[in-house]
Each structure stands twice: as C-alpha cells, then as structure tokens.
Amino acid sequence: MRYPIIFDTDPGVDDAQAIAIAMAHPDIELLGLTTTFGNVDVATATHNALLLCELAGQNIPVARGAAVPLVKKKHPAPAHIHGTNGLGNIALPDVRGDAMPQSAAQFIVDTVNARPGAVTLVAVGPLGNLAAALQLDPEIISKVKQVVIMGGSIKEGGNVTPVAEANIFNDPHAAAHALTAGWPLTMVGLDATHRCTLKPHDMEAIATGQGRLGAVLADSYAFYRAFYQQTMGFDGCCPHDSCALAWLLCSELFTTARGHLTVVTEGDAEGQTIFAPEARPFIDTRWTRTPSVDVCLDADGPAIVDWIVSTLH
Ligand code: RIB
Ligand code: CA
C-alpha cells in the first residue's frame, strides 16, 4: 500500500530526518511539505524544507504557513535545541527554488479536495496550518484519509513544561481545533517518542546512506545530541517526528488506546493534552465531549529506531 501524504513541519533537526524518510520510503508518496513556525520562524522553516528537498534531488511542492500562534504570544524559537538556523547552526548551501504561491492551509485544502479519501496529513509542528485549513474548508474533515500528529503527552509529562509537549504548547488553541475536529486522528506523543533513542552509530549509518542530505542530517544531529547530553543526561536523541511516519507504516510497533482528548489552552497547564479513555465513565462529561481519537501510549523504541535506520541506510 502507498500512502499519499502532506507533511506539515517546522524543520528542525528531527523534522529534517522525518522529511528524509518521507522522500525515501517507497510506500510514501510525498505530495508536499507545508511549513510553520516552531523550532524556527516560518521563513527559516520554509528555507530548510526547500533545501532538504533539493539536497535529495526531489522536486516536492513546499507551501509556507503559520507565522504565529492563533491566540497566544509567540515564544522565542528554541535555538539551544535546533540552532538558530534550525539545522544545528551548520553551514548550509543556497536554496534555488521557491515556495508555492498559495498558503499552506490552501495547499492542504486543494490537495485533499483533489483526492478525496486518499490523503493523509502528517503534522509534526504546531498545528496552525491544520486549524487554518479546517477554517477554510471544514468539509476536509470527511475527505482526509487520516491525520497523524506528532505532539502531546498523556502519562509521560511534558518536555517544555511539566505537562506540555512543545508542538501543543506552541499553539494550544490551534491544537484544540485540530485534535478535536472529528477526523480520523492518531496522536503520536512523548509516551511513544521518548521510548526511542537514536544513537551516534545510527546517525553514521544514515549519513552514509543519504549522500549530501545525509551529511546535513548527521552534522545537525551533532548539535541536537549535545542538547540531549546536557539536559537529558544520555548520549542520543529522540527522533520525535520520524515516529509519526513509523506509526503510519508500522503501527504494530505502537500501543494505542481510543478515547477523547482535551487540550488545555490557558493557565499553568496550557498545552497539556488530557486523555479520557473511551467507555470509561467520569464524574462529569466535560472530558468525554470531544470526538474519539487514537492515542499512542507506548512503543517498541528499538524496533522503531531500526526501522528509521533501515529506511535511510
Ligand atoms: O516535542 C517534540 C516536537 O517538538 C518535535 O516536533 C520537535 O521537532 C520539536 O520541536
Ligand atoms: Ca517538529
């Protein structure tokens, strides 16, 4: 089976690796990249998306998207994790191509409408583009094949606050729209991605397998690795965004549960994703009002890392 996908992204070191997988895997038809602020500002994200495609020798449409969150004030980009250029501050070649004239949201709407029932949206950054697409054309809810989100956390706790994962925290109002829209959705959050550790020897294998693109992936990984060493105390990195694609193609490596998501949009818990398992009664209906979705609660980390390396080797 071949999956036509739109990959919504804020590249970003781990985004770059996931984009490489989306371009390389024979079971993925990459229809386009849509970009958002997040790890970097949206201009840098768009530049990086174009660059990664050019380094792979592929002509993939890139559409520029959300520059700021829907409601909250934008936080500064995490330059200490991804570098100011999003790719570990390594020297980068010039980009020759340009982004599409239409916005990311319009690109999503047009592409989904052109192939009803076929297109999967894989989103691995803040969710403003999905929220904007829903606003432009709510009928895409019944026309997408499925939506896979890297973001959120149920039992694992947060990575930017004690309870919030970065993509949801960066635009909780957009996440609240996208995660509760009623389309078929799977959330691949920290409960799964924190089970995966990509080691230096894995990156060496990827670097040899991916030519010019591999050099950028490996060199930017070195910066990301230093962040993990300093803050998490281990030698390796979590390939968050690649996990969304791993779920799409190898869902048997994940443990999922079905239920209702609520996104906290204000206060100390902003960005938290609250999960109410389906059919479990609670004291009030406020946590079970949203449509049912699938949420990853665990994953076979070593097997996912093997899949990433074998895809890019
Ligand atoms: O929390 C992990 C997510 O936020 C990933 O999408 C990564 O790129 C980071 O920005
Ligand atoms: Ca990302």
Side-chain angles (χ1 to χ4, degrees):
M1 175 146 175
R2 199 147 190 254
Y3 292 88
I5 72 165
I6 296 173
F7 196 75
D8 188 62
T9 178
D10 58 336
V13 177
D14 63 319
D15 300 72
Q17 181 187 76
I19 290 168
I21 292 173
M23 291 191 286
H25 202 290
D27 295 340
I28 294 176
E29 180 190 0
L30 182 57
L31 302 174
L33 299 173
T34 49
T35 61
T36 171
F37 82 92
N39 292 325
V40 285
D41 61 61
V42 70
T44 307
T46 307
H47 169 276
N48 291 350
L50 289 163
L51 174 68
L52 294 162
C53 297
E54 287 179 11
L55 289 173
Q58 296 207 21
N59 188 17
I60 308 287
V62 174
R64 175 175 164 144
V68 291
L70 281 187
V71 175
K72 77 187 274 187
K73 188 167 175 292
K74 182 173 162 308
H75 272 259
H80 60 298
I81 305 175
H82 295 270
T84 48
N85 70 356
L87 293 171
N89 289 339
I90 63 171
L92 297 170
D94 289 337
V95 165
R96 279 169 286 134
D98 287 315
M100 312 274 292
Q102 73 258 55
S103 69
Q106 191 66 55
F107 180 81
I108 290 170
V109 166
D110 293 349
T111 308
V112 169
N113 276 304
R115 294 172 74 171
V119 178
T120 294
L121 306 179
V122 182
V124 300
L127 294 167
N129 293 334
L130 269 55
L134 284 166
Q135 196 166 25
L136 270 180
D137 182 1
E139 295 200 2
I140 62 169
I141 289 169
S142 60
K143 291 184 185 164
V144 293
K145 182 175 171 63
Q146 56 185 330
V147 180
V148 185
I149 304 286
M150 189 283 122
S153 177
I154 307 303
K155 299 180 178 170
E156 182 70 8
N159 59 357
V160 290
T161 83
V163 295
E165 182 280 329
N167 289 337
I168 309 300
F169 179 81
N170 276 331
D171 196 343
H173 295 85
H177 282 297
L179 293 177
T180 67
W183 45 20
L185 180 138
T186 301
M187 189 183 102
V188 184
L190 300 181
D191 304 270
T193 66
H194 276 180
R195 305 286 82 76
C196 308
T197 310
L198 201 74
K199 297 283 196 183
H201 64 85
D202 298 319
M203 277 319 294
E204 282 164 29
I206 290 170
T208 21
Q210 289 295 307
R212 290 175 71 208
L213 176 57
V216 169
L217 298 180
D219 293 348
S220 61
Y221 169 92
F223 188 94
Y224 196 51
R225 175 185 172 193
F227 164 77
Y228 272 86
Q229 280 172 326
Q230 282 152 22
T231 60
M232 310 283 275
F234 61 82
D235 191 13
C237 309
C238 296
H240 298 284
D241 293 345
S242 297
C243 292
L245 294 172
W247 184 86
L248 186 64
L249 297 183
C250 325
S251 60
E252 70 279 4
L253 301 180
F254 296 79
T255 305
T256 58
R258 198 154 175 79
H260 311 271
L261 281 174
T262 304
V263 180
V264 180
T265 52
E266 313 282 344
D268 290 347
E270 69 170 325
Q272 183 177 15
T273 43
I274 300 172
F275 178 65
E278 205 167 53
R280 181 155 162 214
F282 289 96
I283 197 165
D284 186 276
T285 56
R286 80 177 81 157
W287 296 282
T288 52
R289 280 192 287 241
T290 56
S292 284
V293 296
D294 291 307
V295 165
C296 294
L297 294 177
D298 200 0
D300 181 346
I304 292 168
V305 170
D306 283 350
W307 177 84
I308 291 169
V309 176
S310 65
T311 302
L312 292 177
H313 187 36

